[in-house]
Amino acid sequence: MKKVECVIRPMKIEEVKEALASIGIVGMTVSDVRGYGRQRGRTEKYRGNTYVVSLLPKVKIEVVVPDDRVEEVIETALRAAQTGEIGDGKIFVTHVEEAIRIRTGERGEAAL
């Protein structure tokens, strides 16, 4: 099993969620996060003063999928989240040793 983490623009969450649901991925964890990459934040003006906002709002989607679905999930999320501009986000893939459904005690892929 693998965990796919997508850190994306907040405005893209519905598109990514719907795209993943269309391929049968329904279980996910969504978190509001803040950060920056190459874009290094942005400058804003408020009441005549200039402020540098260095940590930008992002959304992190986490899904755990069987190994054979990883590439499909990555490609689907990539197409849905991409705008072609700096700040689109990142996708990370990590190995998951074990998954356990608390309600039933099922383990491994059966718990997904």
Side-chain angles (χ1 to χ4, degrees), residues 12-76:
K12 290 297 212 168
I13 181 63
E14 285 304 316
E15 289 176 54
V16 174
K17 191 173 79 169
E18 289 171 12
L20 291 173
S22 75
I23 63 167
I25 304 298
V26 291
M28 63 182 66
T29 301
V30 178
S31 307
D32 290 320
V33 296
R34 299 176 69 75
Y36 71 89
R38 288 192 175 154
Q39 67 193 110
R40 299 273 185 206
R42 65 175 179 250
T43 303
E44 293 184 359
K45 287 195 176 220
Y46 178 72
R47 294 187 179 185
N49 293 322
T50 302
Y51 297 93
V52 176
V53 180
S54 59
L55 295 176
L56 302 175
K58 300 288 182 182
V59 173
K60 181 164 73 168
I61 300 171
E62 299 172 87
V63 295
V64 178
V65 295
D67 289 341
D68 61 340
R69 304 245 10 231
V70 171
E71 223 24 70
E72 177 185 19
V73 168
I74 291 170
E75 290 303 317
T76 301

